[in-house]
Amino acid sequence: MEPINEIAGRAIPYGAKNVDTDVIIPAHWLKTVSREGLGKGAFETVRAKPGNVFDDPRYEGAPILIAGDNFGCGSSREHAAWALLDMDVRVVIAPSFSDIFSSNAFKNGILAVALPQEQIDRLLAVAVEGELFVDLENQTVGTEMQDRFHFDVDPFRKHCLLNGLDEIGLTMERGDAISAYETRAASQLSFLSGPRAA
């Protein structure tokens, strides 16, 4: 998992509320066994409409998505996070998130930032022409016009995102302790390894 600290660039000013995971990545895309290529199916129904924000060249490769309240509701598909990553989105900013989406986003290296609606409205307005700056270390979202909005983040999630630690990475951090336990267990619990050949 890639670490996140400072993310800067254009933001997709989507703003829609109650966006469920079927909108983020429709069910017929779930047959794949690979995470790659899911960005093509992301927001497929939205992209079917002419003039949609996702196909606007100004936001191509934008690392930030601004959405409305209750983003990621619906089914628990992890493919939603994979699709966003395949679009190069590393931060989603919204007033609130579904718990399951928030968890899946975190486990896949996406920062979900919850801000009040009035701050979201300001960011949506700025994102039409300007860039945003997200600083995880200092827990702020800023604009070129010197707006600075503070957000809360769980300390454990912050540690993992800053250091690029997924569940495997967290386990590997404990490698010395695991090795020490295995050595100790081999001598103290030798009966677990089965009977010795005569």
Side-chain angles (χ1 to χ4, degrees), residues 9-195:
R10 297 304 301 268
I12 303 166
Y14 183 38
K17 297 181 179 181
N18 300 311
V19 174
D20 66 32
T21 51
D22 195 50
V23 171
I24 299 170
I25 187 72
H28 64 89
W29 284 87
L30 306 187
K31 298 172 187 169
T32 180
V33 293
S34 172
R35 297 178 187 202
E36 293 180 16
L38 287 174
K40 293 177 198 163
F43 301 97
E44 186 176 67
T45 55
V46 178
R47 285 180 156 155
K49 299 170 186 165
N52 72 82
V53 70
F54 293 101
D55 291 330
D56 187 323
R58 291 178 295 174
Y59 309 116
E60 185 176 350
I64 303 166
L65 172 68
I66 307 171
D69 199 31
N70 196 27
F71 186 80
C73 56
S75 69
S76 63
R77 63 189 70 165
E78 194 171 14
H79 294 67
W82 298 349
L84 289 169
L85 281 174
D86 201 52
M87 290 175 58
D88 298 321
V89 172
R90 298 301 309 277
V91 180
V92 181
I93 305 172
S96 68
F97 298 89
S98 141
D99 288 341
I100 293 172
F101 172 81
S102 182
S103 176
N104 283 336
F106 155 66
K107 288 179 180 180
N108 285 280
I110 297 173
L111 174 61
V113 173
L115 291 174
Q117 186 62 54
E118 59 270 18
Q119 294 177 5
I120 295 291
D121 292 340
R122 171 64 178 158
L123 295 176
L124 285 167
V126 170
V128 173
E129 296 298 336
E131 294 191 350
L132 302 186
F133 311 93
V134 179
D135 181 344
L136 177 56
E137 181 67 48
N138 295 302
Q139 298 176 213
T140 57
V141 176
T143 72
E144 297 167 314
M145 280 69 90
Q146 304 307 311
D147 298 291
R148 291 291 177 271
F149 304 129
H150 178 82
F151 62 89
D152 293 323
V153 62
D154 175 80
F156 172 72
R157 288 187 173 187
K158 179 178 179 178
H159 168 76
C160 291
L161 290 170
L162 283 171
N163 294 286
L165 297 171
D166 57 12
E167 289 164 336
I168 293 171
L170 284 167
T171 302
M172 297 304 290
E173 269 196 329
R174 305 286 299 160
D176 291 343
I178 292 167
S179 294
Y181 169 78
E182 288 176 340
T183 301
R184 210 170 44 251
S187 64
Q188 295 174 353
L189 306 170
S190 58
F191 61 89
L192 291 177
S193 57

